[in-house]
């Protein structure tokens, strides 16, 4: 089945009890039939809690990062683990993405099921079953491009053992760690060379570049992040000078970095990459931009530093309902940890909706979450009653998408124009 056919089949899925927040009277309809009804999020039967994406803001964010990457000469492989939504993968590619970054084999299987032809796996992959499956994908599809990290001689040995007898070499990039105590990656350039030598000694792996994640730089600030990125670029140049990319194919060297907090630094330093023996694929991997957020990424986005290049817009809103007002200083809604991200920040009370009128959630603060309740502290000026809908902003897209299997995409007036299916 082609990727286009697989995406089309999502619209044939039946709506039922599996999908939170959708109208109970929609049970049995296909997603396509429900979409065609263009129901209103607020008046046509959606049940709280319900997470919605803004159609306008989603489109704005996709266009902004497409423009940013093109302006700075960057290829873009946004991290798909943020959304695990093939419909959004396809839109990202339509907006210029080179491919999709992923983290674990299951995510690659989802991407392949929906026709993604270029995958960058930002992890060392040593599971033999997964490696053999990927080798089968490479063997059966000449257009499939797969690149993953290596960060140890032992990892190279395990990969080589699993891949012996396969028809296409697996492309790998040496991962340079962001510093002592950082996450994964090789700590020193000498160790990087040893791993590169181990790759060269195999017949199953092919070294095509270097990569890493600047978001793990200890005590990150612009100076430290730029310094680490320059180490990464120097590593690529040293490897090239030593002829370590002699087997690289297609005819390019991959240099990759870039989360959602420092992609301006990546653009700065990658612009400094010297001329190498073949063209350089400068691969940026930021993923949280699609929905952005009202907390962590709103604070750390590089667009705060480079405001002349535009601004991302938070696209998520979790609609929940006030179910208890036990005292003048307290209220509770019916959404909690099962519905809202809370690993970086608690949700933010943004708007109250009553009788079709929306107003700012003045004097209302989310102070805690239970499994299915948000605890609200209400100041004297707070105007909130049982039955009101409370719109919450969220922090951290990566732990927001994964709580919802089918997410309505609503226009500003509440008209739902699409439903995004996730696969976590």
């Amino acid at each position: 089945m082609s990727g286009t056919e697989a995406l089309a089949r999502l619209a044939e899925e039946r709506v039922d009890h599996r999908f939170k927040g959708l109208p109970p009277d929609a049970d049995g309809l296909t997603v396509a039939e429900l979409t065609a009804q263009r129901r209103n999020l607020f008046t046509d039967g959606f049940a709280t809690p319900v997470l919605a994406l803004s159609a306008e803001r989603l489109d704005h964010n996709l266009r902004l990062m497409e423009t940013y990457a093109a302006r700075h000469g960057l290829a873009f492989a946004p991290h798909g683990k943020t959304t695990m939504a093939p419909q959004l993968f396809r839109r990202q590619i339509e907006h210029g993405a080179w491919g999709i970054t992923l983290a674990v084999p299951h995510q690659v299987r989802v991407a392949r099921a929906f026709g993604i032809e270029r995958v960058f796996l930002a992890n060392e992959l040593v599971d033999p079953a997964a490696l053999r499956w990927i080798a089968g994908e490479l063997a059966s599809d000449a257009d499939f491009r797969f690149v993953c990290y290596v960060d140890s001689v032992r990892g190279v040995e395990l990969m080589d053992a699993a891949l012996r007898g396969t028809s296409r070499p697996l492309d790998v990039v040496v991962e340079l760690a962001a510093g002592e105590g950082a996450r994964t990656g090789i700590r020193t350039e000498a160790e990087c060379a040893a791993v590169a030598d181990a790759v060269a000694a195999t017949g199953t792996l092919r070294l095509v570049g270097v990569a890493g994640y600047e978001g793990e730089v200890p005590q990150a600030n612009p100076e430290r992040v730029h310094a680490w990125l320059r180490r990464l670029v120097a590593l690529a140049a040293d490897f090239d000078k030593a002829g370590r990319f002699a087997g690289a194919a297609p005819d390019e060297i991959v240099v990759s970095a870039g989360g959602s907090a420092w992609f301006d630094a990546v653009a700065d330093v990658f612009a400094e990459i010297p001329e190498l023996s073949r063209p350089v694929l400068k691969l940026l991997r930021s993923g949280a931009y699609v929905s952005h957020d009202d907390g962590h990424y709103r604070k750390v986005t590089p667009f705060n530093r480079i405001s002349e290049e535009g601004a991302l817009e938070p696209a998520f809103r979790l609609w929940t309902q006030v179910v208890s007002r036990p005292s003048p200083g307290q209220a509770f809604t019916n959404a909690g940890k099962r519905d809202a991200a809370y690993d970086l920040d608690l949700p933010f009370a943004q708007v109250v909706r009553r009788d079709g009128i929306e107003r700012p959630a003045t004097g209302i603060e989310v102070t805690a979450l239970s499994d299915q309740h948000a605890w609200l502290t209400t100041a004297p000026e707070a105007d909130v009653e049982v039955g009101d809908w409370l719109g919450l902003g969220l922090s951290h897209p990566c732990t927001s998408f994964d709580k919802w299997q089918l997410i309505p995409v609503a226009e500003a007036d509440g008209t739902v124009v699409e439903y995004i299916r996730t696969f976590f």
Side-chain angles (χ1 to χ4, degrees):
M1 184 191 309
S2 72
T4 301
E5 291 170 332
L7 286 169
R9 287 187 64 176
L10 290 179
E12 299 171 7
E13 191 165 18
R14 297 283 173 182
V15 173
D16 58 24
H17 59 275
R18 292 170 296 164
F19 304 122
K20 299 188 292 184
L22 300 191
D25 67 353
D27 276 12
L29 296 177
T30 66
V31 172
E33 289 167 342
L34 181 57
T35 303
Q37 292 181 355
R38 294 179 62 86
R39 295 201 186 195
N40 188 279
L41 188 70
F42 307 112
T43 60
D44 287 333
F46 288 85
T48 57
V50 59
L51 181 68
L53 278 164
S54 161
E56 295 87 357
R57 292 183 170 196
L58 182 63
D59 185 67
H60 167 84
N61 293 342
L62 287 164
R63 292 179 184 279
L64 180 62
M65 284 303 290
E66 176 185 20
T67 300
Y68 181 85
R71 181 183 296 128
H72 292 279
L74 300 170
F76 191 28
H79 211 319
K81 57 93 177 172
T82 298
T83 70
M84 284 310 297
Q87 292 150 285
L88 295 180
F89 294 173
R90 181 57 53 191
R91 289 187 65 180
Q92 288 170 314
I93 289 169
E94 289 170 352
H95 281 277
W98 170 91
I100 299 296
T101 296
L102 296 163
V104 293
H106 163 257
Q107 295 169 359
V108 182
R109 291 186 63 197
V110 172
R112 290 298 289 157
F114 289 90
I116 301 303
E117 291 284 10
R118 291 173 177 167
V119 170
F120 185 99
L121 189 76
N123 227 333
E124 183 168 71
L125 178 58
V126 295
D127 180 84
L131 284 163
R132 287 192 292 268
W133 175 79
I134 287 170
E137 292 292 294
L138 290 167
S140 63
D141 183 355
D143 294 325
F144 179 37
R145 179 90 197 273
F146 178 85
V147 181
C148 76
Y149 283 175
V150 288
D151 88 337
S152 63
V153 171
R154 173 62 174 162
V156 169
E157 293 169 348
L158 291 170
M159 295 172 80
D160 180 48
L163 291 169
R164 283 174 194 164
T166 56
S167 60
R168 279 178 68 184
L170 188 106
D171 289 346
V172 298
V173 290
V174 165
E175 183 195 5
L176 177 66
E180 285 299 326
R183 201 164 61 188
T184 56
I186 305 164
R187 268 37 184 178
T188 69
E189 280 76 359
E191 291 171 298
C192 287
V195 173
D197 288 341
V199 169
T202 74
T204 58
L205 305 177
R206 177 169 54 195
L207 185 66
V208 298
V210 299
Y213 175 48
E214 77 291 337
E216 284 290 313
V217 168
Q219 299 176 309
N221 61 29
E223 293 73 26
R224 290 190 178 98
V225 170
H226 278 77
W228 178 82
L229 287 163
R230 290 190 175 103
R231 278 185 64 199
L232 183 69
V233 167
L235 181 66
D238 288 346
F239 275 14
D240 187 47
K241 185 177 181 180
R244 296 188 184 278
F245 300 130
D251 192 25
E252 63 188 10
I253 295 167
V254 178
V255 182
S256 179
S260 294
W262 295 102
F263 55 74
D264 58 333
V266 174
D268 289 344
V269 176
F270 280 14
E272 303 170 359
I273 293 177
E275 184 174 347
L276 302 183
S277 63
R278 62 195 70 194
V280 177
L281 182 72
K282 304 173 183 180
L283 198 59
L284 181 68
R285 307 193 307 269
S286 313
Y289 79 99
V290 178
S291 66
H292 197 45
D293 73 6
D294 284 292
H296 177 72
Y297 286 107
R298 173 170 251 173
K299 290 180 285 190
V300 304
T301 177
F303 286 114
N304 292 337
R305 297 185 289 271
I306 51 172
S307 58
E308 69 279 2
E309 300 228 37
L312 294 169
E313 298 177 352
F316 269 139
R317 183 162 283 172
L318 176 62
W319 288 100
T320 180
Q321 196 164 25
V322 178
V323 294
S324 180
R325 187 83 159 97
S327 70
Q330 195 173 36
F332 293 85
T333 73
N334 62 349
K337 293 178 180 178
R338 303 298 171 86
D339 311 297
Y342 59 93
D343 55 321
L344 295 180
D345 300 285
L346 290 172
F348 307 93
Q350 293 181 323
V351 294
V352 174
R353 188 177 181 88
R354 182 191 305 159
D355 299 327
I357 306 298
E358 202 171 287
R359 62 186 183 281
T362 305
I364 302 172
E365 180 183 3
V366 179
T367 54
L369 295 179
S370 300
D371 283 349
Q372 293 297 172
H373 289 94
W375 295 58
L376 308 180
T377 296
T378 54
E381 68 271 18
D383 179 12
V384 60
E385 299 176 355
V386 170
D388 290 348
W389 280 35
L390 182 66
L392 302 178
L394 301 177
S395 182
H396 200 188
C398 301
T399 48
S400 297
F401 277 99
D402 66 359
K403 299 176 187 299
W404 296 84
Q405 293 185 65
L406 198 60
I407 304 172
V409 178
E411 294 179 339
D413 66 356
T415 301
V416 176
V417 295
E418 187 181 4
Y419 296 83
I420 299 296
R421 185 72 158 92
T422 64
F423 292 85
F424 286 94

mmCIF file of all heavy atoms in Angstrom, residues 372-409:
data_model
loop_
_atom_site.group_PDB
_atom_site.id
_atom_site.type_symbol
_atom_site.label_atom_id
_atom_site.label_comp_id
_atom_site.label_asym_id
_atom_site.label_seq_id
_atom_site.Cartn_x
_atom_site.Cartn_y
_atom_site.Cartn_z
ATOM 1 N N GLN A 372 -7.875 13.009 36.878
ATOM 2 C CA GLN A 372 -8.944 13.531 36.028
ATOM 3 C C GLN A 372 -9.517 14.850 36.523
ATOM 4 O O GLN A 372 -10.637 15.210 36.165
ATOM 5 C CB GLN A 372 -10.076 12.505 35.911
ATOM 6 C CG GLN A 372 -9.726 11.234 35.178
ATOM 7 C CD GLN A 372 -9.355 11.404 33.707
ATOM 8 O OE1 GLN A 372 -8.919 10.453 33.080
ATOM 9 N NE2 GLN A 372 -9.515 12.597 33.149
ATOM 10 N N HIS A 373 -8.737 15.582 37.289
ATOM 11 C CA HIS A 373 -9.170 16.896 37.749
ATOM 12 C C HIS A 373 -8.019 17.893 37.660
ATOM 13 O O HIS A 373 -6.872 17.560 37.948
ATOM 14 C CB HIS A 373 -9.659 16.871 39.209
ATOM 15 C CG HIS A 373 -10.960 16.166 39.408
ATOM 16 N ND1 HIS A 373 -11.029 14.833 39.750
ATOM 17 C CD2 HIS A 373 -12.236 16.615 39.314
ATOM 18 C CE1 HIS A 373 -12.300 14.486 39.852
ATOM 19 N NE2 HIS A 373 -13.054 15.543 39.600
ATOM 20 N N ALA A 374 -8.340 19.107 37.278
ATOM 21 C CA ALA A 374 -7.423 20.231 37.429
ATOM 22 C C ALA A 374 -7.872 21.030 38.646
ATOM 23 O O ALA A 374 -9.056 21.365 38.781
ATOM 24 C CB ALA A 374 -7.435 21.106 36.180
ATOM 25 N N TRP A 375 -6.947 21.310 39.532
ATOM 26 C CA TRP A 375 -7.209 22.112 40.721
ATOM 27 C C TRP A 375 -6.995 23.581 40.349
ATOM 28 O O TRP A 375 -5.923 23.963 39.876
ATOM 29 C CB TRP A 375 -6.244 21.741 41.837
ATOM 30 C CG TRP A 375 -6.380 20.339 42.372
ATOM 31 C CD1 TRP A 375 -6.269 19.175 41.668
ATOM 32 C CD2 TRP A 375 -6.621 19.968 43.729
ATOM 33 N NE1 TRP A 375 -6.423 18.104 42.493
ATOM 34 C CE2 TRP A 375 -6.642 18.554 43.772
ATOM 35 C CE3 TRP A 375 -6.809 20.700 44.907
ATOM 36 C CZ2 TRP A 375 -6.847 17.859 44.953
ATOM 37 C CZ3 TRP A 375 -7.016 19.992 46.093
ATOM 38 C CH2 TRP A 375 -7.045 18.595 46.107
ATOM 39 N N LEU A 376 -7.999 24.386 40.580
ATOM 40 C CA LEU A 376 -7.927 25.809 40.260
ATOM 41 C C LEU A 376 -7.980 26.636 41.537
ATOM 42 O O LEU A 376 -8.819 26.399 42.416
ATOM 43 C CB LEU A 376 -9.093 26.228 39.363
ATOM 44 C CG LEU A 376 -9.354 25.417 38.088
ATOM 45 C CD1 LEU A 376 -10.552 25.993 37.346
ATOM 46 C CD2 LEU A 376 -8.130 25.381 37.208
ATOM 47 N N THR A 377 -7.083 27.614 41.616
ATOM 48 C CA THR A 377 -7.185 28.652 42.634
ATOM 49 C C THR A 377 -7.837 29.861 41.974
ATOM 50 O O THR A 377 -7.413 30.291 40.892
ATOM 51 C CB THR A 377 -5.795 29.024 43.173
ATOM 52 O OG1 THR A 377 -5.236 27.885 43.835
ATOM 53 C CG2 THR A 377 -5.899 30.182 44.160
ATOM 54 N N THR A 378 -8.869 30.393 42.627
ATOM 55 C CA THR A 378 -9.630 31.487 42.023
ATOM 56 C C THR A 378 -9.569 32.719 42.918
ATOM 57 O O THR A 378 -9.928 32.676 44.094
ATOM 58 C CB THR A 378 -11.088 31.069 41.798
ATOM 59 O OG1 THR A 378 -11.650 30.585 43.023
ATOM 60 C CG2 THR A 378 -11.169 29.955 40.755
ATOM 61 N N ALA A 379 -9.102 33.809 42.345
ATOM 62 C CA ALA A 379 -9.029 35.084 43.062
ATOM 63 C C ALA A 379 -10.423 35.715 43.137
ATOM 64 O O ALA A 379 -11.342 35.299 42.430
ATOM 65 C CB ALA A 379 -8.056 36.011 42.350
ATOM 66 N N PRO A 380 -10.617 36.731 43.987
ATOM 67 C CA PRO A 380 -11.945 37.356 44.122
ATOM 68 C C PRO A 380 -12.517 37.860 42.801
ATOM 69 O O PRO A 380 -13.733 37.845 42.616
ATOM 70 C CB PRO A 380 -11.684 38.515 45.103
ATOM 71 C CG PRO A 380 -10.512 38.055 45.917
ATOM 72 C CD PRO A 380 -9.659 37.266 44.989
ATOM 73 N N GLU A 381 -11.676 38.282 41.885
ATOM 74 C CA GLU A 381 -12.189 38.827 40.615
ATOM 75 C C GLU A 381 -12.541 37.732 39.602
ATOM 76 O O GLU A 381 -13.071 38.024 38.518
ATOM 77 C CB GLU A 381 -11.159 39.774 39.994
ATOM 78 C CG GLU A 381 -9.880 39.133 39.495
ATOM 79 C CD GLU A 381 -8.790 39.030 40.552
ATOM 80 O OE1 GLU A 381 -9.121 39.130 41.758
ATOM 81 O OE2 GLU A 381 -7.614 38.861 40.170
ATOM 82 N N ALA A 382 -12.267 36.467 39.926
ATOM 83 C CA ALA A 382 -12.532 35.388 38.976
ATOM 84 C C ALA A 382 -14.033 35.173 38.813
ATOM 85 O O ALA A 382 -14.753 34.977 39.793
ATOM 86 C CB ALA A 382 -11.864 34.103 39.452
ATOM 87 N N ASP A 383 -14.483 35.191 37.586
ATOM 88 C CA ASP A 383 -15.888 34.933 37.266
ATOM 89 C C ASP A 383 -15.963 33.555 36.619
ATOM 90 O O ASP A 383 -15.764 33.400 35.411
ATOM 91 C CB ASP A 383 -16.419 36.007 36.318
ATOM 92 C CG ASP A 383 -17.875 35.780 35.927
ATOM 93 O OD1 ASP A 383 -18.540 34.930 36.559
ATOM 94 O OD2 ASP A 383 -18.337 36.447 34.976
ATOM 95 N N VAL A 384 -16.227 32.537 37.429
ATOM 96 C CA VAL A 384 -16.247 31.165 36.935
ATOM 97 C C VAL A 384 -17.318 30.382 37.693
ATOM 98 O O VAL A 384 -17.445 30.493 38.913
ATOM 99 C CB VAL A 384 -14.856 30.504 37.064
ATOM 100 C CG1 VAL A 384 -14.379 30.455 38.504
ATOM 101 C CG2 VAL A 384 -14.835 29.124 36.432
ATOM 102 N N GLU A 385 -18.112 29.602 36.948
ATOM 103 C CA GLU A 385 -19.215 28.844 37.525
ATOM 104 C C GLU A 385 -19.163 27.402 37.050
ATOM 105 O O GLU A 385 -18.569 27.098 36.015
ATOM 106 C CB GLU A 385 -20.563 29.440 37.088
ATOM 107 C CG GLU A 385 -20.806 30.869 37.501
ATOM 108 C CD GLU A 385 -22.117 31.394 36.934
ATOM 109 O OE1 GLU A 385 -22.760 30.653 36.144
ATOM 110 O OE2 GLU A 385 -22.487 32.528 37.276
ATOM 111 N N VAL A 386 -19.809 26.522 37.802
ATOM 112 C CA VAL A 386 -19.981 25.149 37.349
ATOM 113 C C VAL A 386 -20.668 25.167 35.979
ATOM 114 O O VAL A 386 -21.635 25.901 35.763
ATOM 115 C CB VAL A 386 -20.807 24.333 38.366
ATOM 116 C CG1 VAL A 386 -21.202 22.971 37.790
ATOM 117 C CG2 VAL A 386 -20.012 24.154 39.659
ATOM 118 N N GLY A 387 -20.125 24.377 35.069
ATOM 119 C CA GLY A 387 -20.651 24.319 33.709
ATOM 120 C C GLY A 387 -19.872 25.137 32.709
ATOM 121 O O GLY A 387 -19.972 24.902 31.494
ATOM 122 N N ASP A 388 -19.079 26.125 33.152
ATOM 123 C CA ASP A 388 -18.251 26.906 32.238
ATOM 124 C C ASP A 388 -17.210 26.013 31.570
ATOM 125 O O ASP A 388 -16.689 25.065 32.187
ATOM 126 C CB ASP A 388 -17.514 28.020 32.985
ATOM 127 C CG ASP A 388 -18.426 29.131 33.458
ATOM 128 O OD1 ASP A 388 -19.593 29.180 33.026
ATOM 129 O OD2 ASP A 388 -17.955 29.972 34.261
ATOM 130 N N TRP A 389 -16.903 26.342 30.323
ATOM 131 C CA TRP A 389 -15.761 25.723 29.657
ATOM 132 C C TRP A 389 -14.538 26.589 29.932
ATOM 133 O O TRP A 389 -14.598 27.813 29.813
ATOM 134 C CB TRP A 389 -15.988 25.641 28.146
ATOM 135 C CG TRP A 389 -16.860 24.499 27.707
ATOM 136 C CD1 TRP A 389 -17.932 23.989 28.362
ATOM 137 C CD2 TRP A 389 -16.719 23.747 26.498
ATOM 138 N NE1 TRP A 389 -18.485 22.957 27.634
ATOM 139 C CE2 TRP A 389 -17.756 22.797 26.481
ATOM 140 C CE3 TRP A 389 -15.840 23.792 25.419
ATOM 141 C CZ2 TRP A 389 -17.924 21.883 25.432
ATOM 142 C CZ3 TRP A 389 -16.005 22.890 24.375
ATOM 143 C CH2 TRP A 389 -17.027 21.944 24.388
ATOM 144 N N LEU A 390 -13.435 25.921 30.303
ATOM 145 C CA LEU A 390 -12.183 26.619 30.560
ATOM 146 C C LEU A 390 -11.155 26.155 29.540
ATOM 147 O O LEU A 390 -10.876 24.956 29.425
ATOM 148 C CB LEU A 390 -11.680 26.326 31.974
ATOM 149 C CG LEU A 390 -10.386 27.028 32.403
ATOM 150 C CD1 LEU A 390 -10.592 28.537 32.504
ATOM 151 C CD2 LEU A 390 -9.895 26.469 33.750
ATOM 152 N N GLY A 391 -10.620 27.091 28.764
ATOM 153 C CA GLY A 391 -9.592 26.783 27.774
ATOM 154 C C GLY A 391 -8.218 26.876 28.396
ATOM 155 O O GLY A 391 -7.847 27.917 28.933
ATOM 156 N N LEU A 392 -7.455 25.776 28.322
ATOM 157 C CA LEU A 392 -6.139 25.702 28.933
ATOM 158 C C LEU A 392 -5.051 25.685 27.867
ATOM 159 O O LEU A 392 -5.137 24.938 26.883
ATOM 160 C CB LEU A 392 -6.005 24.435 29.787
ATOM 161 C CG LEU A 392 -7.009 24.241 30.929
ATOM 162 C CD1 LEU A 392 -6.752 22.899 31.625
ATOM 163 C CD2 LEU A 392 -6.899 25.386 31.940
ATOM 164 N N GLY A 393 -4.019 26.485 28.071
ATOM 165 C CA GLY A 393 -2.807 26.368 27.280
ATOM 166 C C GLY A 393 -1.909 25.316 27.896
ATOM 167 O O GLY A 393 -1.960 25.066 29.114
ATOM 168 N N LEU A 394 -1.075 24.672 27.059
ATOM 169 C CA LEU A 394 -0.246 23.561 27.516
ATOM 170 C C LEU A 394 1.231 23.862 27.293
ATOM 171 O O LEU A 394 1.604 24.672 26.449
ATOM 172 C CB LEU A 394 -0.623 22.294 26.769
ATOM 173 C CG LEU A 394 -2.082 21.838 26.910
ATOM 174 C CD1 LEU A 394 -2.342 20.598 26.061
ATOM 175 C CD2 LEU A 394 -2.433 21.585 28.364
ATOM 176 N N SER A 395 2.062 23.162 28.051
ATOM 177 C CA SER A 395 3.502 23.253 27.913
ATOM 178 C C SER A 395 4.039 21.886 27.523
ATOM 179 O O SER A 395 3.654 20.872 28.112
ATOM 180 C CB SER A 395 4.139 23.704 29.228
ATOM 181 O OG SER A 395 5.540 23.850 29.101
ATOM 182 N N HIS A 396 4.912 21.845 26.522
ATOM 183 C CA HIS A 396 5.591 20.650 26.030
ATOM 184 C C HIS A 396 4.711 19.826 25.089
ATOM 185 O O HIS A 396 3.964 18.947 25.516
ATOM 186 C CB HIS A 396 6.085 19.754 27.171
ATOM 187 C CG HIS A 396 7.165 18.804 26.718
ATOM 188 N ND1 HIS A 396 7.640 17.813 27.529
ATOM 189 C CD2 HIS A 396 7.853 18.695 25.541
ATOM 190 C CE1 HIS A 396 8.577 17.129 26.878
ATOM 191 N NE2 HIS A 396 8.714 17.651 25.667
ATOM 192 N N PRO A 397 4.823 20.087 23.792
ATOM 193 C CA PRO A 397 4.024 19.346 22.804
ATOM 194 C C PRO A 397 4.251 17.844 22.853
ATOM 195 O O PRO A 397 3.328 17.064 22.611
ATOM 196 C CB PRO A 397 4.499 19.930 21.467
ATOM 197 C CG PRO A 397 5.061 21.261 21.796
ATOM 198 C CD PRO A 397 5.627 21.155 23.167
ATOM 199 N N CYS A 398 5.484 17.414 23.160
ATOM 200 C CA CYS A 398 5.814 15.993 23.080
ATOM 201 C C CYS A 398 5.019 15.149 24.065
ATOM 202 O O CYS A 398 4.839 13.954 23.845
ATOM 203 C CB CYS A 398 7.307 15.792 23.318
ATOM 204 S SG CYS A 398 8.344 16.672 22.129
ATOM 205 N N THR A 399 4.565 15.728 25.150
ATOM 206 C CA THR A 399 3.730 14.972 26.092
ATOM 207 C C THR A 399 2.294 15.487 26.094
ATOM 208 O O THR A 399 1.538 15.228 27.027
ATOM 209 C CB THR A 399 4.326 15.023 27.515
ATOM 210 O OG1 THR A 399 4.655 16.363 27.850
ATOM 211 C CG2 THR A 399 5.576 14.166 27.603
ATOM 212 N N SER A 400 1.928 16.204 25.046
ATOM 213 C CA SER A 400 0.532 16.604 24.838
ATOM 214 C C SER A 400 -0.101 15.733 23.755
ATOM 215 O O SER A 400 -1.169 15.147 23.954
ATOM 216 C CB SER A 400 0.445 18.075 24.437
ATOM 217 O OG SER A 400 0.928 18.927 25.443
ATOM 218 N N PHE A 401 0.586 15.605 22.616
ATOM 219 C CA PHE A 401 0.063 14.785 21.530
ATOM 220 C C PHE A 401 -0.195 13.348 21.981
ATOM 221 O O PHE A 401 -1.168 12.722 21.553
ATOM 222 C CB PHE A 401 1.053 14.768 20.362
ATOM 223 C CG PHE A 401 0.957 15.939 19.433
ATOM 224 C CD1 PHE A 401 1.832 17.012 19.543
ATOM 225 C CD2 PHE A 401 0.006 15.965 18.420
ATOM 226 C CE1 PHE A 401 1.760 18.091 18.661
ATOM 227 C CE2 PHE A 401 -0.073 17.039 17.545
ATOM 228 C CZ PHE A 401 0.802 18.106 17.672
ATOM 229 N N ASP A 402 0.692 12.820 22.848
ATOM 230 C CA ASP A 402 0.614 11.379 23.111
ATOM 231 C C ASP A 402 -0.560 10.966 23.984
ATOM 232 O O ASP A 402 -0.793 9.770 24.197
ATOM 233 C CB ASP A 402 1.933 10.865 23.693
ATOM 234 C CG ASP A 402 2.271 11.418 25.071
ATOM 235 O OD1 ASP A 402 1.497 12.227 25.607
ATOM 236 O OD2 ASP A 402 3.328 11.044 25.605
ATOM 237 N N LYS A 403 -1.334 11.915 24.489
ATOM 238 C CA LYS A 403 -2.509 11.587 25.301
ATOM 239 C C LYS A 403 -3.801 11.558 24.481
ATOM 240 O O LYS A 403 -4.871 11.273 25.026
ATOM 241 C CB LYS A 403 -2.640 12.600 26.443
ATOM 242 C CG LYS A 403 -1.424 12.598 27.383
ATOM 243 C CD LYS A 403 -1.540 13.666 28.448
ATOM 244 C CE LYS A 403 -0.250 13.743 29.252
ATOM 245 N NZ LYS A 403 0.079 12.494 29.946
ATOM 246 N N TRP A 404 -3.691 11.837 23.188
ATOM 247 C CA TRP A 404 -4.879 11.966 22.346
ATOM 248 C C TRP A 404 -4.671 11.236 21.029
ATOM 249 O O TRP A 404 -3.705 11.495 20.314
ATOM 250 C CB TRP A 404 -5.190 13.452 22.083
ATOM 251 C CG TRP A 404 -5.525 14.160 23.347
ATOM 252 C CD1 TRP A 404 -4.648 14.703 24.254
ATOM 253 C CD2 TRP A 404 -6.829 14.351 23.884
ATOM 254 N NE1 TRP A 404 -5.332 15.229 25.315
ATOM 255 C CE2 TRP A 404 -6.683 15.032 25.123
ATOM 256 C CE3 TRP A 404 -8.114 14.035 23.441
ATOM 257 C CZ2 TRP A 404 -7.768 15.382 25.918
ATOM 258 C CZ3 TRP A 404 -9.198 14.387 24.221
ATOM 259 C CH2 TRP A 404 -9.021 15.054 25.447
ATOM 260 N N GLN A 405 -5.584 10.323 20.692
ATOM 261 C CA GLN A 405 -5.458 9.533 19.466
ATOM 262 C C GLN A 405 -6.065 10.222 18.248
ATOM 263 O O GLN A 405 -5.649 9.955 17.122
ATOM 264 C CB GLN A 405 -6.144 8.177 19.637
ATOM 265 C CG GLN A 405 -5.491 7.256 20.644
ATOM 266 C CD GLN A 405 -6.162 5.896 20.642
ATOM 267 O OE1 GLN A 405 -6.123 5.160 19.658
ATOM 268 N NE2 GLN A 405 -6.807 5.565 21.740
ATOM 269 N N LEU A 406 -7.065 11.065 18.452
ATOM 270 C CA LEU A 406 -7.718 11.737 17.334
ATOM 271 C C LEU A 406 -8.026 13.166 17.782
ATOM 272 O O LEU A 406 -8.834 13.378 18.691
ATOM 273 C CB LEU A 406 -8.995 11.003 16.933
ATOM 274 C CG LEU A 406 -9.567 11.317 15.543
ATOM 275 C CD1 LEU A 406 -8.573 10.967 14.449
ATOM 276 C CD2 LEU A 406 -10.865 10.555 15.317
ATOM 277 N N ILE A 407 -7.369 14.135 17.147
ATOM 278 C CA ILE A 407 -7.386 15.514 17.625
ATOM 279 C C ILE A 407 -8.104 16.398 16.616
ATOM 280 O O ILE A 407 -7.674 16.503 15.459
ATOM 281 C CB ILE A 407 -5.951 16.039 17.843
ATOM 282 C CG1 ILE A 407 -5.184 15.120 18.811
ATOM 283 C CG2 ILE A 407 -5.969 17.473 18.363
ATOM 284 C CD1 ILE A 407 -3.701 15.452 18.923
ATOM 285 N N PRO A 408 -9.193 17.061 17.007
ATOM 286 C CA PRO A 408 -9.860 17.991 16.092
ATOM 287 C C PRO A 408 -8.970 19.190 15.782
ATOM 288 O O PRO A 408 -8.281 19.721 16.657
ATOM 289 C CB PRO A 408 -11.108 18.436 16.874
ATOM 290 C CG PRO A 408 -11.228 17.495 18.018
ATOM 291 C CD PRO A 408 -9.871 16.976 18.303
ATOM 292 N N VAL A 409 -9.010 19.608 14.520
ATOM 293 C CA VAL A 409 -8.360 20.834 14.090
ATOM 294 C C VAL A 409 -9.472 21.835 13.799
ATOM 295 O O VAL A 409 -10.303 21.608 12.911
ATOM 296 C CB VAL A 409 -7.495 20.609 12.837
ATOM 297 C CG1 VAL A 409 -6.856 21.923 12.391
ATOM 298 C CG2 VAL A 409 -6.419 19.557 13.115
#
